[in-house]
Amino acid sequence: RALLINGKRVLIKGVNRHEHDQYTAKTLSTDSMVEDIRLMKQHNFNAVRTCHYPNDERFYELCDRYGLYVMDEANIETHANYDSICRDERWASCFLERVQRMVRRDFNHPSVIIWSLGNESGYGHNQDSCAGWLRRYDPDRPIHYEGANRPEWAQGPHTLSSLKRGRFATDIIAPMYPAISLIEAWDHSTESSEDDRPLIMCEYSHAMGNSNGSLGDYWRTIRASRGIQGGFIWDWVDQGILVDENNKIIGFRETEEVEREGGRSWRYGGDFGDQPTDYDFCLNGLLFPDRTCKPAMAECLKVQQSIQIYSDRPSRGLFRLVNEQDFTALDNVILRYTIFSEAETGQIEGEVDLPSLAPGASHDFVVEELQTQEVRQLMLGGESFITFEILLSKKTDWADEGHMIAWQQFILSPPLKRAFPVPQAYVQKTEDGHCTVETKAYEAAINSDGLLSSLRFVGQQELLKAPLTVNLYRCPTENDGIKTLTTNTDLPEFAFYHENKAFGPWLTNRLSDLRLALLSVIVEDGQVCTRHRIENPDSLQLGLFTQHIVFSSDRLHYSCSFSLSNALKEYPKVGLACELDRSWSACRYFGLGPHENYPDRCDGARFGDYHATVDELYVPYIVPQDHGERTEVRRLDLYDGDTGGVQLRCDEPFAFALHRYSIEELWQKKHADELQRCSSHHLYLDAAVRGVGTATCGPDTLEKYRVPAGVYRLSFTIASSH
């Protein structure tokens, strides 16, 4: 049960590619095609599907030269007439002629390994006639047609029984956007044991906006399977068109462009008065229209890498490197490592000598540095790591010397539990219910609502522009729910875009406008304990929020818990939020990075000590939405740019985001370049956050990455970072 290339079972690490240019739409230059191929190979893609039409002839020549497998697809798609035209004999010659033209033109390109009969056009005798001609004309290449594995259009998505259909029209079982549970069930089913066809997903992991959740889960399933052989991510590049300040299409690369506040001025469906339209359903790419990478590309590089490093006990320094490349020996790489600790005690770097490894071969090696006293001392200082990077030692046609093709990170020692002495400060409570604290290190206040409302360390500016309060909401991603039609609910498409989306209950229950009802305040011995009821403006009780703040002479010890009710089945996130003055515009953190990551999209992120400005934390998704989350954070420093900073340190990992736009601003605008900064920056400290999933056209976030009702806790200290 395998697709074999030169006798080997090759995992298809593919992407669907529409021909698109931000200036000239469907007219592409050769340089643009080369850029696409180089970026694909740099991020460990080995295959491309020409969705949903044969591409420019030059593209195949370039794939031959650079080395990409191609699924060549005929320009057949009947969609709105899904189950009719495919069975209408009057259309039979139209189907066949399109397949014949494609095959005859592209037959001699070695990069073409699969012929595709088209896309989403039902299944009938018109496809069978194409397959019959093609099997006689080219008996050596397999045929793909997803529609042959799908039930009738009205009967819903793929099922185990539908996957075994269509053996004459397709040599590959090629579902679109299957749940991981479905392909796992297929791999272990009786049906799959009786079917000699491999399962290769022709479309999966829909890259619309902040997306591609569970890519790592898909690839763990693929690598552990008997007959699942990879797939093609949907899709390559956002099909946005660049416009000028008058909303006119620029059309030429030489035209001077204006960079606006939130990003470049890209427009999409409906922006040109075009109807009917699918609005932002053309913005499904792993790349922005200018070919800059979205954060999800780092995930692709990691989960698709063909060089792996394993270790059962990394602290002993014993490792195994495996060359999983199919046909290439490992002789153009450098293996480097870095050993470091969260305790900021410096880092140790080194290099491992590697032999030339044949495809499929492995090599055991020892990092002797891990046995030295210096490293042992570093490991005793706190959580420590070793990170390996495999880099090109020589320039290739698709990447420069030093390009990273694979990496692996191991934890060497666990974090230390830090106990700080707590000489408590005096808390003064006023008649109007305020509490104030003043020490040699800082001044703080709790307002009459029981919330921390002021914190200023000596020599620094005020940290809090608005109180630290509960937050259970985020600006919906496009997977949470499409927002482009919210201002025109009379359109018939409205139900399609919002039915069964996660953010429906969030909006219905007004999570964006929480209220806290203060139930109790206890002040004693330098401590303030409060208890609040969390509710929405309609008095729907969402849970309880308790705070315990201990004021010591040099820092605050802050802990809180959230007991969320089952009034909602699940929540977008649970944590705290506050506003900061815009002077607080940079941060340093120890956690997963350096790019944006979420619970179900963090395989491509690694632990490290990172510094970023609020501008660098921003991701300019064309349709504004939630962005910039960092997870598994141990330490967060905030800097005001002039006088210093404060440090939040936590023994239990948390997540954070620092935004230059409010949730309301992100929600109200349809284009990134229309965003306007307010007078504040917005800090979110999260005990839990929902994954991003891939639900615009695929499975929703897996249950294990959701935020159900229950108890959540957040605890940290706040001190000056001088």
Side-chain angles (χ1 to χ4, degrees):
R1 265 180 30 241
L3 170 69
L4 302 181
I5 299 174
N6 293 337
K8 286 193 174 183
R9 179 180 183 266
V10 173
L11 293 180
I12 298 300
K13 303 165 183 177
V15 65
N16 288 274
R17 175 183 176 268
H18 273 297
E19 294 181 307
H20 180 76
D21 186 275
Q22 64 173 335
Y23 300 99
T24 55
K26 300 306 174 187
T27 303
L28 272 62
S29 67
T30 302
D31 288 344
S32 175
M33 298 178 197
V34 170
E35 183 179 12
D36 280 352
I37 292 172
R38 284 172 56 88
L39 282 170
M40 288 178 190
K41 293 186 70 69
Q42 286 171 10
H43 291 85
N44 293 326
F45 289 94
N46 66 2
V48 61
R49 175 181 176 222
T50 66
C51 60
H52 298 296
Y53 41 81
N55 281 190
D56 187 300
E57 293 178 74
R58 292 171 293 171
F59 185 69
Y60 300 86
E61 296 172 8
L62 292 168
C63 288
D64 295 343
R65 180 182 302 177
Y66 284 88
L68 275 180
Y69 303 127
V70 176
M71 177 189 283
D72 202 6
E73 187 155 276
N75 55 330
I76 299 173
E77 178 162 353
T78 63
H79 220 90
N81 301 287
Y82 188 82
D83 287 319
S84 59
I85 293 179
C86 60
R87 298 162 189 171
D88 188 335
E89 293 181 1
R90 293 172 296 179
W91 290 90
S93 62
C94 296
F95 276 66
L96 182 57
E97 287 168 4
R98 293 186 178 210
V99 172
Q100 288 175 327
R101 286 198 300 265
M102 172 185 71
V103 174
R104 285 172 174 151
R105 190 196 72 171
D106 300 335
F107 182 85
N108 288 322
H109 287 289
S111 58
V112 177
I113 63 169
I114 301 168
W115 301 115
S116 175
L117 301 182
N119 181 68
E120 294 184 343
S121 300
Y123 179 43
H125 48 257
N126 288 346
Q127 280 93 5
D128 284 341
S129 68
C130 294
W133 175 86
L134 186 48
R135 292 189 187 284
R136 173 69 65 142
Y137 190 87
D138 184 7
D140 297 323
R141 288 186 175 102
I143 298 173
H144 157 271
Y145 183 60
E146 178 268 343
N149 297 136
R150 186 191 287 270
E152 303 296 289
W153 191 258
Q155 294 178 16
H158 299 285
T159 62
L160 280 180
S161 59
S162 74
L163 292 180
K164 63 182 181 181
R165 296 176 71 226
R167 292 181 62 90
F168 183 75
T170 184
D171 299 312
I172 295 168
I173 298 170
M176 285 184 177
Y177 309 105
I180 294 174
S181 58
L182 175 63
I183 60 176
E184 282 182 325
W186 165 259
D187 194 55
H188 296 97
S189 67
T190 303
E191 289 92 340
S192 71
S193 299
E194 298 170 350
D195 199 323
D196 61 358
R197 296 175 296 175
L199 189 151
I200 301 173
M201 298 170 285
C202 64
E203 295 178 21
Y204 81 110
S205 192
H206 196 252
M208 189 165 171
N210 187 356
S211 187
N212 300 107
S214 284
L215 258 182
D217 296 300
Y218 272 105
W219 274 92
R220 280 182 281 277
T221 299
I222 291 166
R223 292 180 186 279
S225 72
R226 298 179 301 167
I228 307 171
Q229 208 168 327
F232 297 84
I233 294 172
W234 186 272
D235 59 10
W236 180 238
V237 61
D238 282 351
Q239 296 173 70
I241 298 293
L242 195 64
V243 300
D244 62 19
E245 62 272 13
N246 298 314
N247 210 42
K248 300 296 183 182
I249 297 173
I250 290 178
F252 298 97
R253 285 178 171 80
E254 293 78 15
T255 304
E256 184 176 350
E257 302 163 24
V258 178
E259 185 77 16
R260 301 184 190 176
E261 164 65 33
R264 307 187 78 182
S265 300
W266 289 308
R267 295 295 179 264
Y268 50 85
D271 286 335
F272 304 100
D274 48 309
Q275 289 291 338
T277 180
D278 275 342
Y279 298 91
D280 47 341
F281 250 80
C282 60
L283 307 178
N284 310 318
L286 292 165
L287 307 179
F288 292 108
D290 62 356
R291 266 56 181 183
T292 55
C293 295
K294 294 181 183 177
M297 281 289 271
E299 198 83 350
C300 297
L301 183 151
K302 176 59 178 168
V303 302
Q304 296 178 159
Q305 68 186 36
S306 295
I307 303 170
Q308 311 293 344
I309 299 177
Y310 302 99
S311 179
D312 293 328
R313 299 188 66 182
S315 61
R316 296 182 59 188
L318 305 177
F319 301 91
R320 169 168 291 183
L321 183 144
V322 180
N323 178 15
E324 293 183 352
Q325 296 179 123
D326 298 299
F327 307 106
T328 306
L330 199 61
D331 55 10
N332 182 27
V333 300
I334 298 171
L335 176 59
R336 291 179 180 165
Y337 63 83
T338 304
I339 304 167
F340 62 97
S341 169
E342 187 271 335
E344 305 178 51
T345 53
Q347 62 183 33
I348 298 166
E349 298 179 349
E351 191 170 308
V352 177
D353 291 329
L354 289 177
S356 177
L357 285 181
S362 63
H363 172 65
D364 294 326
F365 65 93
V366 178
V367 178
E368 297 179 354
E369 199 82 46
L370 289 173
Q371 305 303 318
T372 65
Q373 184 62 34
E374 181 183 5
V375 172
R376 289 296 174 186
Q377 196 64 35
L378 180 147
M379 291 167 61
L380 291 173
E383 192 172 19
S384 59
F385 305 82
I386 183 169
T387 302
F388 293 98
E389 291 185 339
I390 297 100
L391 313 171
L392 291 178
S393 60
K394 300 176 184 177
K395 182 178 180 179
T396 69
D397 289 340
W398 49 270
D400 292 331
E401 177 184 344
H403 170 72
M404 184 181 68
I405 58 175
W407 64 270
Q408 189 64 54
Q409 186 174 74
F410 298 91
I411 297 176
L412 299 175
S413 58
L416 294 179
K417 297 291 184 180
R418 293 177 173 83
F420 295 98
V422 188
Q424 295 173 356
Y426 174 68
V427 179
Q428 182 177 357
K429 187 174 182 180
T430 62
E431 292 183 0
D432 60 1
H434 286 74
C435 297
T436 60
V437 175
E438 184 174 351
T439 74
K440 292 182 178 180
Y442 66 90
E443 297 176 357
I446 295 176
N447 64 17
S448 57
D449 294 323
L451 300 174
L452 184 65
S453 58
S454 176
L455 179 60
R456 186 178 66 83
F457 285 87
V458 171
Q460 297 182 16
Q461 301 182 56
E462 169 65 46
L463 177 65
L464 299 174
K465 191 170 183 179
L468 189 66
T469 189
V470 172
N471 178 56
L472 305 179
Y473 189 65
R474 71 183 183 196
C475 179
T477 67
E478 288 165 285
N479 287 332
D480 294 335
I482 306 301
K483 72 178 183 180
T484 51
L485 295 181
T486 54
T487 57
N488 193 354
T489 57
D490 294 329
L491 287 176
E493 297 96 337
F494 183 78
F496 165 75
Y497 278 85
H498 295 83
E499 185 178 3
N500 299 321
K501 297 298 182 183
F503 90 139
W506 307 346
L507 296 183
T508 300
N509 292 285
R510 303 172 72 180
L511 290 188
S512 60
D513 192 15
L514 295 183
R515 309 292 171 85
L516 292 180
L518 182 60
L519 302 179
S520 65
V521 179
I522 300 174
V523 181
E524 60 181 11
D525 299 329
Q527 303 180 41
V528 177
C529 300
T530 67
R531 190 166 180 261
H532 296 78
R533 184 173 61 248
I534 308 171
E535 56 188 33
N536 74 355
D538 303 320
S539 299
L540 176 68
Q541 295 189 22
L542 299 170
L544 295 174
F545 170 58
T546 60
Q547 292 178 110
H548 183 203
I549 308 174
V550 179
F551 297 97
S552 69
S553 58
D554 63 343
R555 69 190 67 225
L556 280 75
H557 301 257
Y558 183 99
S559 61
C560 62
S561 68
F562 312 80
S563 300
L564 299 185
S565 75
N566 57 7
L568 272 71
K569 182 181 178 181
E570 59 165 313
Y571 296 81
K573 60 164 58 180
V574 51
L576 303 169
C578 64
E579 292 182 27
L580 311 177
D581 187 273
R582 280 176 56 171
S583 61
W584 294 91
S585 59
C587 69
R588 179 186 176 191
Y589 65 97
F590 192 93
L592 289 180
H595 52 270
E596 162 193 279
N597 54 88
Y598 285 76
D600 62 348
R601 202 187 71 219
C602 58
D603 282 66
R606 64 176 85 172
F607 285 101
D609 198 342
Y610 302 108
H611 182 278
T613 65
V614 68
D615 292 340
E616 292 167 339
L617 295 170
Y618 170 64
V619 183
Y621 294 112
I622 298 177
V623 176
Q625 57 198 276
D626 188 71
H627 63 276
E629 196 82 16
R630 266 66 173 176
T631 63
E632 295 293 323
V633 176
R634 275 67 165 156
R635 183 188 74 240
L636 171 64
D637 293 70
L638 300 168
Y639 299 106
D640 67 6
D642 293 318
T643 58
V646 299
Q647 182 176 99
L648 288 75
R649 182 180 286 277
C650 185
D651 283 333
E652 297 298 326
F654 66 100
F656 89 94
L658 180 61
H659 288 178
R660 64 191 195 188
Y661 305 111
S662 66
I663 291 177
E664 294 76 16
E665 178 70 3
L666 292 169
W667 170 251
Q668 290 168 5
K669 299 298 172 62
K670 291 176 61 176
H671 307 94
D673 62 292
E674 297 169 348
L675 292 169
Q676 296 294 321
R677 298 192 196 214
C678 64
S679 59
S680 304
H681 288 152
H682 305 269
L683 175 66
Y684 304 95
L685 305 171
D686 299 319
V689 61
R690 195 181 200 267
V692 292
T694 181
T696 45
C697 198
D700 197 0
T701 304
L702 295 182
E703 288 289 342
K704 63 183 177 180
Y705 302 121
R706 300 188 191 185
V707 184
V711 176
Y712 298 86
R713 294 180 174 85
L714 198 56
S715 178
F716 47 83
T717 62
I718 309 177
S720 172
S721 61
H722 281 310

